[in-house]
Amino acid sequence: MVPISPSPRPARVRPVAEPAGVGLVGFVGFVGLGVYGAVGRLGFLPYPLLQLLVLAVGTGLFAVRRRWPRAVLLTLAALTGLVPAVGPVTAAAAYSVARRTAEPRRRARLLAAAGGLLVACATVAGPRLGPGSAAYGLALGLVLAPTAVIVPGLVGTAQGQQGRLLRALRERGDAAERARRLADSEARTHERSRIAAEMHDLVGHRLSLVSLHAGGLELALERAAPELREEAVLVRRTTRDAMRELRQALGVLGPLARDTGPDALTDATGTRADIEALVAQSRDGGIAVRLDWTGPDLDARPAPVRRAVHRVVREALTNVHRYAADAHVTVTVVHGGAQVRVTVRNGARPGPPAPVEELGTGRGLTGLRERVELLGGTFEAAAPASGGFRVDASVPTEPTERAGPAGPAGDLAPGRSLRGSGPDAPGPTGGTAPDGVGPDGRRTAEVLTLGFGLAALSALMVVGTAFVYAAQPSGRSGPAPLPRVGMTYGEVAGLGVRDNGAVRAAATGHEPPRPAGTAGCVYPFNGATERRPGGLLIARYCFDAAQRLIAIDRFDVPSVRDATPWEIP
């Protein structure tokens, strides 16, 4: 037995879309963790453990975004309003959902709802988990909504529309190519029909005349020369066989959807009942033939598959009738899920081998090989070492179109499968896209683009969050309090009152006497004001030995007016 290699499974073509799997989930979670660390380093991370837990929950929800896309996106948007570190996860989910949503209105409503939910949650969580007030929580939500929902959603929308447009264009091109091939096939069919008609008119008419004259010669020789009558009978029978074979050959030139001639093929061709009928006909003709059928019937398989099975069995049994009529024959049909295997094996004929001149030309087997291989199958016909002959054919149950020479078996017939020519099928260069960039190259470029885009959005989220937190007001409102008697030196210095050497030098020799108990005085620069030309108002803060402010004095001292450049000698 010749081993049969299993038919290759068609490669599962995954649409060139967003990267999927654990790697993407881990990458998105890592980027969210980076935002968490950056915001925490800036000191704007209240309840860090709670925010880390929410980030882990959001990353887990992102892993099931394809099963529940809308629910996951809305939930992540709400979590982003509570914890800004979930923003990168929400951005990736918004891109994914927008890319896979084809209906524009549904996509727009979903993105708007997600953005509004994010802003609302940030506003509500502002006083406790956010910057400290509802107003600044609203500001934080307005910063995060574009970066986490709107911009990624718009990018995903553009990418999805581009992919759908490319698929539509490929389908349209494939449809045009199929239409062209069908038109060419129909033209060849008409030409073959014309050739068949001409051959039938020319050759058939001549053969009919030969048969007629041979019949007359048979009757004449029966009385005149009986010993020559058998020769006339041989001529008439040979002519009749030639007419029958001519009709069968002309049937090949007919339309490809059916075979013409006395053995026209129907919808039952190639089924189990049809093969059993062929075996029964051979058994009635004196052949010891047995049929072994394994698997379901072939009535649900495409017509080219059933036609090929019928042809293999019929041609093999015909050869047995011609060259090994007294041999035992076994016809085996095994119908699996992916292929149909047909084996016709006959034993060695008893007696001496057939003379060389009785052997056929092998054209029938060559035709079978072409028919089977054009369907994507394999064919073998050889004489085993044990004697006899063996025909083995394996035909896929879902045949793929193969390029072949123009001819009856190479044309596109009705019912022929066109799998492999769709928008997800490999291109003519074995998996290369029409633009010359392979799927792996496009996928790598897309992964890099999405990675850099998510990193940029994350940086914007960090900057926006830091800006909102830094802009929140402090607990002190109104003008700064003024120093007053009785305050300590530290409290006065905290209000910005510090000694200035230039002001002290200006006051030296012009200040009034210091109060009793003064241990030291401070002459701040912010207390020196030019009241009038030539006069400077100076403030003096005097402290006692306990560093308590005991007096605040203001006095005038003369100021020096700088000379203009042209007054300098």
Side-chain angles (χ1 to χ4, degrees):
M1 301 294 289
V2 178
I4 294 181
S5 58
S7 60
R9 296 182 179 179
R12 183 180 179 184
V13 180
R14 184 165 55 188
V16 180
E18 59 187 289
V22 181
L24 177 61
V25 176
F27 173 73
V28 171
F30 177 76
V31 176
L33 192 61
V35 174
Y36 171 87
V39 174
R41 187 174 183 82
L42 293 175
F44 307 129
L45 192 66
Y47 306 103
L49 294 180
L50 177 61
Q51 296 206 20
L52 188 60
L53 178 62
V54 173
L55 175 60
V57 172
T59 305
L61 289 176
F62 178 76
V64 296
R65 70 196 181 282
R66 293 185 177 178
R67 179 169 296 182
W68 301 290
R70 289 181 288 274
V72 168
L73 178 58
L74 293 177
T75 304
L76 288 176
L79 294 179
T80 304
L82 304 177
V83 178
V86 189
V89 184
T90 306
Y95 171 84
S96 174
V97 174
R99 180 166 190 168
R100 292 177 175 270
T101 305
E103 186 178 350
R105 293 184 178 180
R106 179 181 299 178
R107 182 175 57 244
R109 288 195 296 266
L110 181 60
L111 293 178
L117 184 61
L118 190 154
V119 173
C121 291
T123 302
V124 173
R128 295 187 177 183
L129 298 177
S133 65
Y136 279 84
L138 175 63
L140 181 61
L142 293 177
V143 169
L144 293 177
T147 56
V149 176
I150 305 302
V151 173
L154 293 179
V155 175
T157 299
Q159 290 290 334
Q161 290 178 348
Q162 180 183 9
R164 288 186 287 271
L165 177 61
L166 289 177
R167 286 193 294 271
L169 291 177
R170 289 174 182 172
E171 291 176 357
R172 189 171 182 178
D174 292 338
E177 181 66 18
R178 288 194 295 269
R180 183 190 65 80
R181 292 182 180 178
L182 288 174
D184 294 344
S185 176
E186 184 177 0
R188 286 193 294 270
T189 300
H190 289 307
E191 183 64 19
R192 283 193 296 266
S193 300
R194 185 185 65 81
I195 295 174
E198 290 182 0
M199 291 181 63
H200 184 274
D201 293 341
L202 296 176
V203 182
H205 177 66
R206 299 297 182 184
L207 290 178
S208 298
L209 292 178
V210 172
S211 179
L212 179 62
H213 289 296
L217 181 61
E218 178 184 352
L219 294 177
L221 291 176
E222 185 178 4
R223 295 188 300 269
E227 68 278 4
L228 298 178
R229 178 178 175 276
E230 293 299 328
E231 299 296 333
V233 173
L234 178 61
V235 173
R236 181 174 57 81
R237 291 179 178 175
T238 303
T239 305
R240 183 189 60 189
D241 294 340
M243 285 290 296
R244 184 179 67 253
E245 293 178 357
L246 176 63
R247 291 191 183 98
Q248 293 177 354
L250 294 180
V252 178
L253 297 176
L256 293 177
R258 58 180 176 85
D259 287 340
T260 58
D263 298 325
L265 303 179
T266 64
D267 292 338
T269 298
T271 60
R272 182 167 185 171
D274 179 55
I275 302 302
E276 289 176 349
L278 290 177
V279 171
Q281 291 175 4
S282 297
R283 191 179 294 117
D284 294 340
I287 302 296
V289 57
R290 185 187 67 190
L291 173 63
D292 293 335
W293 186 291
T294 304
D297 204 346
L298 296 177
D299 51 356
R301 294 305 178 183
V305 176
R306 294 185 286 107
R307 187 179 296 112
V309 172
H310 175 92
R311 288 292 193 183
V312 170
V313 175
R314 191 177 74 177
E315 180 67 23
L317 292 179
T318 300
N319 289 338
V320 171
H321 278 277
R322 290 179 179 176
Y323 310 119
D326 49 358
H328 293 277
V329 184
T330 302
V331 178
T332 304
V333 179
V334 179
H335 179 197
Q339 65 181 359
V340 181
R341 179 177 179 179
V342 182
T343 304
V344 181
R345 168 71 184 273
N346 64 277
R349 56 183 296 181
V356 178
E357 58 271 11
E358 294 184 7
L359 299 178
T361 61
R363 294 180 180 176
L365 296 178
T366 302
L368 287 181
R369 182 184 302 275
E370 293 178 355
R371 179 182 291 271
V372 171
E373 290 182 352
L374 283 171
L375 294 178
T378 58
F379 181 85
E380 282 191 21
S386 58
F389 201 79
R390 183 172 182 269
V391 175
D392 195 347
S394 177
V395 183
T397 55
E398 295 294 337
T400 57
E401 181 189 4
R402 289 192 180 184
D411 298 332
L412 280 175
R416 181 181 292 273
S417 173
L418 290 175
R419 291 180 59 186
S421 59
D424 295 334
T429 57
T432 303
D435 55 2
V437 180
D440 294 339
R442 286 203 312 270
R443 186 175 179 81
T444 301
E446 184 177 9
V447 168
L448 293 177
T449 301
L450 295 180
F452 284 122
L454 188 60
L457 289 176
S458 301
L460 290 177
M461 294 177 194
V462 173
V463 172
T465 303
F467 177 78
V468 172
Y469 272 87
Q472 63 179 336
S474 60
R476 185 181 64 188
S477 59
L482 298 176
R484 64 181 181 275
V485 176
M487 298 179 68
T488 63
Y489 175 77
E491 293 174 344
V492 174
L495 297 177
V497 179
R498 298 181 181 277
D499 187 61
N500 185 274
V503 177
R504 176 184 290 274
T508 301
H510 301 285
E511 60 181 323
R514 297 181 176 183
T518 300
C521 296
V522 174
Y523 303 85
F525 180 79
N526 52 3
T529 305
E530 188 175 6
R531 174 178 296 182
R532 62 181 184 279
L536 185 67
L537 178 63
I538 294 179
R540 183 182 64 183
Y541 297 84
C542 296
F543 298 86
D544 59 7
Q547 295 187 353
R548 292 282 179 178
L549 181 63
I550 59 177
I552 302 176
D553 301 320
R554 290 180 173 82
F555 50 89
D556 291 329
V557 298
S559 61
V560 179
R561 183 175 64 88
D562 293 337
T564 57
W566 52 83
E567 293 178 350
I568 299 175

